[in-house]
């Protein structure tokens, strides 16, 4: 099969029989649900752009497994150019959607599982790598969107998986059969699960010998028996039910997360990538997190480009674009945003081959990248709100704007400079509101903090990778210290 068009992707999602719950009700048709549809459109953009000749080199790649042309989201990175192109592709999609386009988690899981399974097989003689390669070919062949499921609910954070009072707080194997395993547990805040055809599950932390049942990685279709998804609420999400394009801010695109429950789900042997080899759980987590921390140096930068553009437009419409402090704030926002991009590109350019042959980012630089992402988008959002003015949170609704009695007052009193309609001024303010405080704030703000691991997780990696002994040696040499 060839790469799918955006429309073919949408149709293929209609064929999945997902068990989805939202606002206390089962959603029979997630594809057309007004709250969910914008998030599907974001994933659809990853298909549409891959069909566009001008983006071919970024959006597509040649499969190292089959030699066929595939969507880059399903690619096993072959060199540092692939790693750099990945980040550029993510910036492009962030610019086009101003939202989380969700498909990266599968790409990052692909590359982490590819190299880790190779090393497990090297030690144990297992066949996980072969399992994964066959699975990857299957996904490439069908041009699937694959969810990467890592984060367990974790219960008492002070206790190891096997010590939890409720054994299901980390996903685990509850039964082993001749033909496969049965798993139970949940994965929290799963980006794009509802818009994916497949799902790769991985452990969420390093594990010890007693956590054997929890050290498990595998793939399942998202509509496998026993899986159900409970959609997370987003700030201002019900505005999407009001049929007001204006009030939503970004009516076309969005992101989505879900709590995904695994109620005794069967996984056949050929779809298992880790099962009890506890010492490899940490490697898988570290690599997936590393790739996803690189990803944020692309996607958040693209969304940041839209926010900076919106702030600059708001300044134009307010008539204050020439004020020196406004110019300086836009410079500061650009500086912060491009610093994140530098980190994304740097950790990619400094990548290296793993034992399996695929390329991995420089882990120290990827963690520095994500650590900056936990801070800079907040400052960029603060500056955008500063430039926009309080009207971004006090402007009346579209219904008032269109009302024959009060509409003319809104039109008259919310006007900025002459030559720009009041409606356009409100449009850009609503976009800023959406990115800083509305549905897109999930992806641009809080996900910048907690997605791909909370700030402390990066600091642990920075401590581990920072190589202080080597730095001490450098200082001793310069200071002529001999001990
Ligand atoms: Fe991709 Fe960014 Fe969304 Fe992660 S947060 S899935 S990297 S767009
Ligand atoms: Fe994320």
């Amino acid at each position: 099969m060839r790469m799918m068009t955006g429309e073919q992707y949408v149709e293929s999602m209609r064929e999945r029989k997902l068990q989805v719950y939202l606002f206390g009700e089962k959603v029979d048709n997630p594809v057309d649900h007004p709250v969910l549809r914008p998030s599907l459109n974001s994933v659809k953009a990853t298909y549409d752009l891959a069909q566009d000749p001008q983006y071919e080199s970024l959006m597509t790649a040649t499969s190292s497994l089959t030699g066929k042309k595939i969507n880059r989201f399903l690619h096993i990175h072959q060199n540092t150019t692939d790693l750099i192109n990945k980040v550029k592709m993510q910036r492009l999609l962030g610019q086009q959607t101003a939202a989380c386009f969700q498909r990266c988690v599968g790409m990052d899981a692909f590359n982490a599982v590819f190299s880790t399974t190779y090393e497990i097989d090297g030690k144990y003689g297992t066949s996980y790598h072969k399992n994964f390669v066959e699975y990857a070919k299957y996904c490439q062949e069908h041009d699937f969107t694959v969810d990467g499921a890592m984060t367990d609910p974790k219960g008492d954070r002070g206790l190891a998986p096997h010590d939890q009072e409720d054994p299901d707080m980390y996903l685990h194997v509850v039964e082993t059969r001749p033909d496969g395993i049965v798993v139970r547990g949940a994965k929290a805040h799963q980006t794009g699960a509802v818009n994916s055809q497949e799902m790769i599950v991985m452990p969420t932390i390093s594990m010890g010998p007693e956590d054997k049942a929890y050290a498990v990685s595998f793939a399942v279709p998202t509509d496998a028996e026993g899986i159900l998804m409970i959609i997370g609420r987003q700030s201002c999400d019900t505005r999407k039910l009001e049929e007001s394009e204006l009030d939503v801010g970004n009516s076309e695109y969005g992101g989505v997360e879900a709590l995904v429950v695994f109620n005794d789900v069967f996984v056949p042997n050929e779809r298992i990538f880790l099962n009890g080899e506890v010492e490899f759980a940490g490697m898988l987590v570290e690599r997936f997190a590393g790739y996803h921390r690189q990803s944020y140096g692309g996607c958040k930068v693209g969304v940041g480009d839209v926010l900076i553009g919106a702030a600059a437009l708001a300044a134009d419409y307010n008539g204050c674009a020439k004020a020196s402090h406004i110019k300086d704030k836009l410079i500061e926002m650009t500086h912060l945003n491009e610093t994140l991009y530098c980190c994304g590109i740097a950790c990619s350019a400094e990548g290296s081959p793993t034992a399996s042959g695929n390329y991995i980012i420089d882990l120290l630089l990827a963690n520095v990248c994500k650590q900056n992402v936990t801070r800079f988008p907040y400052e960029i959002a603060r500056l955008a709100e500063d430039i926009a003015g309080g009207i971004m949170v006090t402007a009346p609704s579209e219904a008032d704007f269109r009302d024959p009695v009060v509409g003319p007052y809104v039109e008259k009193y919310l006007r900025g400079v002459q030559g720009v309609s009041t409606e356009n001024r409100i449009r850009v303010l609503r976009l800023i509101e959406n990115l800083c405080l509305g549905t897109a704030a999930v992806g641009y703000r809080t996900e910048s903090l907690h997605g791909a691991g909370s700030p402390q997780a990066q600091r642990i990696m920075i401590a581990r990778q920072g190589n202080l002994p080597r730095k001490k040696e450098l200082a001793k040499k310069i200071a002529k210290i001999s001990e």
Side-chain angles (χ1 to χ4, degrees), residues 133-150:
V133 168
E134 289 309 313
Y135 174 73
K137 282 194 217 164
Y138 166 74
C139 292
Q140 289 180 351
E141 176 66 23
H142 290 84
D143 200 7
F144 282 148
T145 290
V146 184
D147 181 31
M150 178 159 277

Side-chain angles (χ1 to χ4, degrees), residues 100 105 191 257 292 296 299-300 447 451-452:
C100 166
V105 278
T191 294
E257 275 75 27
H292 210 54
Y296 280 31
C299 77
K300 303 296 180 233
E447 192 181 41

Side-chain angles (χ1 to χ4, degrees), residues 9 25 49 96 104 113 126 159 187 223 241 250 297 305 333-334 365 370 386 400 406 409 435 442-443 474 478 480:
Y9 159 70
E25 285 173 7
L49 263 57
Q96 301 284 327
C104 328
V113 174
T126 41
L159 298 176
K187 291 289 181 181
D223 58 358
L241 298 170
N250 180 356
D305 287 327
M333 292 165 83
T334 305
L365 298 185
K370 171 68 215 306
D386 183 348
D400 293 312
V406 297
Y409 294 114
L435 286 163
V442 177
L474 293 172
I478 297 290
K480 300 196 187 309

Side-chain angles (χ1 to χ4, degrees), residues 42 90 94 97-106 108 147-148 151 188-193 233-235 254-258 288-289 292-301 303 340 369-378 381 434-458:
S42 298
Q90 289 167 312
T97 62
C100 166
F101 36 91
Q102 307 145 56
R103 209 175 169 186
C104 328
V105 278
D108 293 338
D147 181 31
T151 312
H189 24 86
Q190 284 313 297
T191 294
R233 283 218 72 164
Q234 296 176 337
S235 172
V256 68
E257 275 75 27
F288 173 78
H292 210 54
R293 290 168 194 174
Q294 168 209 25
S295 288
Y296 280 31
C299 77
K300 303 296 180 233
V301 180
V303 178
L340 298 179
C369 177
K370 171 68 215 306
Q371 183 81 175
N372 284 333
V373 173
T374 66
R375 298 167 180 169
F376 296 178
Y378 282 82
N434 174 258
L435 286 163
C436 298
L437 304 164
T439 51
V442 177
Y444 191 63
R445 288 180 58 137
T446 313
E447 192 181 41
S448 286
L449 196 69
H450 291 294
S454 307
Q456 189 57 23
Q458 288 111 57

Side-chain angles (χ1 to χ4, degrees), residues 179-201:
D179 53 345
I181 54 174
V182 177
V183 297
R184 187 186 305 154
K187 291 289 181 181
H189 24 86
Q190 284 313 297
T191 294
V194 70
N195 297 322
S196 304
Q197 292 101 341
E198 284 283 330
M199 185 185 294
I200 295 177
V201 171

Side-chain angles (χ1 to χ4, degrees), residues 231-471:
I231 302 292
R233 283 218 72 164
Q234 296 176 337
S235 172
C236 309
D237 50 9
T238 46
R239 284 195 198 181
K240 292 175 185 170
L241 298 170
E242 295 170 6
E243 291 173 10
S244 163
E245 182 203 285
L246 190 63
D247 288 354
V248 171
N250 180 356
S251 57
E252 190 72 18
Y253 301 107
V256 68
E257 275 75 27
L259 175 66
V260 180
V261 177
F262 292 75
N263 254 331
D264 294 356
V265 176
F266 176 71
V267 183
N269 284 330
E270 61 275 14
R271 276 176 166 244
I272 299 174
F273 312 134
L274 170 78
N275 187 14
E277 296 80 6
V278 282
E279 73 276 29
F280 286 97
M283 179 189 285
L284 191 47
V285 173
E286 206 169 87
R287 290 183 180 179
F288 173 78
Y291 284 119
H292 210 54
R293 290 168 194 174
Q294 168 209 25
S295 288
Y296 280 31
C299 77
K300 303 296 180 233
V301 180
V303 178
D305 287 327
V306 178
L307 183 53
I308 294 167
L313 269 180
D316 290 345
Y317 296 174
N318 288 345
C320 55
K322 291 201 177 79
S324 61
H325 74 99
I326 297 288
K327 284 186 194 160
D328 194 56
K329 280 166 188 156
L330 290 167
I331 292 168
E332 178 66 9
M333 292 165 83
T334 305
H335 161 70
L336 291 169
N337 205 41
E338 297 301 335
T339 303
L340 298 179
Y341 188 54
C342 293
C343 293
I345 294 295
C347 69
S348 307
E350 290 286 290
S352 56
T354 65
S356 67
N358 75 338
Y359 268 63
I360 189 162
I361 60 288
D362 180 286
L363 282 174
L364 174 60
L365 298 185
N367 278 276
V368 169
C369 177
K370 171 68 215 306
Q371 183 81 175
N372 284 333
V373 173
T374 66
R375 298 167 180 169
F376 296 178
Y378 282 82
E379 181 62 5
I380 293 170
R382 189 185 74 80
L383 291 166
E385 291 186 27
D386 183 348
I387 293 171
I391 193 68
M392 72 173 250
V393 289
T394 62
S397 70
E398 180 174 4
D400 293 312
F401 190 69
R402 310 276 179 223
D403 183 78
V405 177
V406 297
Y409 294 114
V410 177
E411 176 79 45
K412 173 180 163 75
Y413 289 112
L414 294 193
R415 182 173 283 274
V417 294
Q418 287 302 314
V420 174
S421 69
T422 304
E423 179 174 332
N424 282 350
R425 183 166 179 247
I426 294 178
R427 276 185 186 278
V428 83
L429 293 170
R430 287 289 179 221
L431 172 59
I432 297 172
E433 182 196 31
N434 174 258
L435 286 163
C436 298
L437 304 164
T439 51
V442 177
Y444 191 63
R445 288 180 58 137
T446 313
E447 192 181 41
S448 286
L449 196 69
H450 291 294
S454 307
Q456 189 57 23
Q458 288 111 57
R459 298 186 84 75
I460 291 167
M461 283 299 290
I462 291 169
R464 222 187 277 163
Q465 303 271 333
N467 201 351
L468 274 186
R470 159 103 177 111
K471 293 182 171 80

